[in-house]
Amino acid sequence: MVRDFLHLQSVNMSHDVYAVGNALVDIQAQVNDELLARLAFEKGIMTLVDDERQAGVLSHFDLPSLHRCAGGSAANTVAAIADFGGQAAFVGKIGDDETGEFFLKDLRALGVTIDVAPLTGAPTGTCAVLITEDAERTMLTNLGASSQLSAEDIDEAAIATAKYIYIEGYLFTGESTKAAAYRAIELAKKNDVKIAFTASDPFLVNMIRDEIWELIRGPVDLFFCNEEEAMSLTGLTDPVACANKIHESAENVAMTLGPNGSILMHGGDAIPIEGVSVKAIDTTGAGDMYAGGVLYGITNGLSWKQSGHLASHAAARVVGQLGARLATPFTNDEVRQLTNV
């Protein structure tokens, strides 16, 4: 009965963004370079690990003392949208366990609509985020139940009421999750809903470069990437040249440049967005937060420049703290001040 009620809520409520992604619980731990070297993971990238390997990594820490939150790239982005006051929905697969219950409660507490049937016999996915003193993050992802998200989990009624869908690039590492992504894209096009897609990680661009170009040239209305991903995608080295090259195919482009800000491409114009000076503590979720700021802005009446300005400040705030979720969300007054540009 409760689930039926939640389903009716998701159908009847309109959303700014309906996001599809891996449902993971992020577990953050600060580590030194020596431990990272002993664990033998490449620093600064995301590595997929199995249940046993993840358990071995987490055995180095006192888990109850670590910070955790509902995560995954797309989940972080809709959490940001909700923090700004937007309406967001998320679909991703969780396990029938305490970690899955935590995931649901954490996102729902923010006001995110999420209606998923837990999967029996598979653990909820986790992402161990190992943060070194230089603020770099090395992510070890155990997909668990999230890898079994399927096309059948995509809700057309919820998509039809959204302004944008947001597709996480990580979904393209698995056949079932890729099918879910393409189903969401198909239903968005059918219902005249705009499509945003994020490259997610340089390794993914290197793995499916041609497929990403097909998406950019085809259904995608807004493409998110960082400088490294853009360089890998285009084969160019100048950020502006990269953005222009992608904009030849993509109607809208949002490319982050780390501390140097970002570039938005819209209507044939390049819109430079300034960086915000901050002492970096943890870069986890900076791109997700930026995407959340842009998507909130463009679906709530802000200009592209205003949206980029808000997104830049949001990304800086999240970099200046531990974890991908804002410890101190922006107030309505702060949002108004930041968008008065």
Side-chain angles (χ1 to χ4, degrees):
M1 187 64 144
V2 173
R3 191 177 184 282
D4 289 342
F5 172 71
L6 289 169
H7 179 69
L8 287 172
Q9 276 191 314
S10 71
V11 170
N12 294 330
M13 181 185 296
S14 62
H15 297 99
D16 299 322
V17 179
Y18 175 96
V20 187
N22 287 316
L24 307 172
V25 171
D26 286 346
I27 303 168
Q28 286 100 25
Q30 290 183 293
V31 303
N32 54 40
D33 287 320
E34 289 73 22
L35 176 58
L36 200 59
R38 284 207 312 276
L39 294 172
F41 288 107
E42 186 176 347
K43 185 177 181 179
I45 67 167
M46 191 279 286
T47 302
L48 292 174
V49 296
D50 60 21
D51 295 353
E52 183 179 357
R53 190 76 173 100
Q54 187 79 309
V57 169
L58 295 177
S59 70
H60 288 82
F61 309 104
D62 176 27
L63 289 181
S65 70
L66 298 181
H67 179 267
R68 66 176 184 167
C69 68
S73 175
N76 288 337
T77 293
V78 294
I81 293 167
D83 261 346
F84 284 123
Q87 299 296 323
F90 175 81
V91 60
K93 208 71 172 175
I94 58 169
D96 188 12
D97 53 20
E98 186 277 335
T99 306
E101 281 295 315
F102 172 84
F103 184 94
L104 292 177
K105 289 177 182 177
D106 198 40
L107 276 190
R108 286 173 178 163
L110 293 172
V112 174
T113 300
I114 176 170
D115 175 32
V116 294
L119 186 67
T120 302
T124 298
T126 55
C127 180
V129 184
L130 307 182
I131 307 155
T132 43
E133 292 180 1
D134 57 2
E136 189 62 83
R137 84 277 188 275
T138 302
M139 296 184 292
L140 313 177
T141 302
N142 174 237
L143 293 172
S146 70
S147 67
Q148 297 187 51
L149 179 71
S150 69
E152 288 69 36
D153 293 308
I154 304 303
D155 186 345
E156 180 174 4
I159 287 177
T161 66
K163 299 172 185 174
Y164 263 89
I165 65 165
Y166 181 70
I167 304 294
E168 172 187 316
Y170 288 126
L171 294 175
F172 287 74
T173 60
E175 288 307 311
S176 180
T177 52
K178 181 190 289 191
Y182 276 116
R183 178 61 174 162
I185 289 169
E186 174 192 349
L187 293 174
K189 289 182 67 178
K190 175 184 173 183
N191 290 281
D192 295 320
V193 174
K194 291 187 177 295
I195 299 163
F197 174 76
T198 176
S200 290
D201 197 287
F203 96 91
L204 188 73
V205 176
N206 292 331
M207 186 171 69
I208 59 165
R209 185 177 291 105
D210 291 344
E211 189 168 11
I212 291 176
W213 272 119
E214 288 176 10
L215 289 164
I216 293 171
R217 294 180 180 125
V220 170
D221 298 286
L222 169 56
F223 179 62
F224 286 95
C225 61
N226 63 29
E227 187 175 358
E228 186 180 355
E229 291 156 358
M231 289 178 179
S232 176
L233 188 64
T234 63
L236 303 174
T237 56
D238 177 72
V240 176
C242 287
N244 280 318
K245 179 67 175 176
I246 298 170
H247 192 38
E248 289 174 6
S249 299
E251 182 181 354
N252 304 292
V253 182
M255 185 176 75
T256 56
L257 307 171
N260 296 320
S262 61
I263 300 172
L264 294 176
M265 304 296 295
H266 173 68
D269 295 327
I271 306 170
I273 303 296
E274 79 293 342
V276 178
S277 179
V278 64
K279 176 176 171 53
I281 294 174
D282 174 16
T283 57
T284 305
D288 303 331
M289 180 62 65
Y290 179 86
V294 170
L295 286 167
Y296 166 77
I298 63 175
T299 57
N300 282 275
L302 300 182
S303 70
W304 284 83
K305 185 175 180 63
Q306 288 173 317
S307 301
H309 188 73
L310 177 64
S312 186
H313 280 266
R317 181 173 291 189
V318 84
V319 165
Q321 58 159 60
L322 280 176
R325 193 77 56 76
L326 285 176
T328 307
F330 288 84
T331 65
N332 290 336
D333 285 342
E334 284 179 309
V335 172
R336 279 192 290 270
Q337 291 170 8
L338 287 171
T339 54
N340 187 27
V341 294

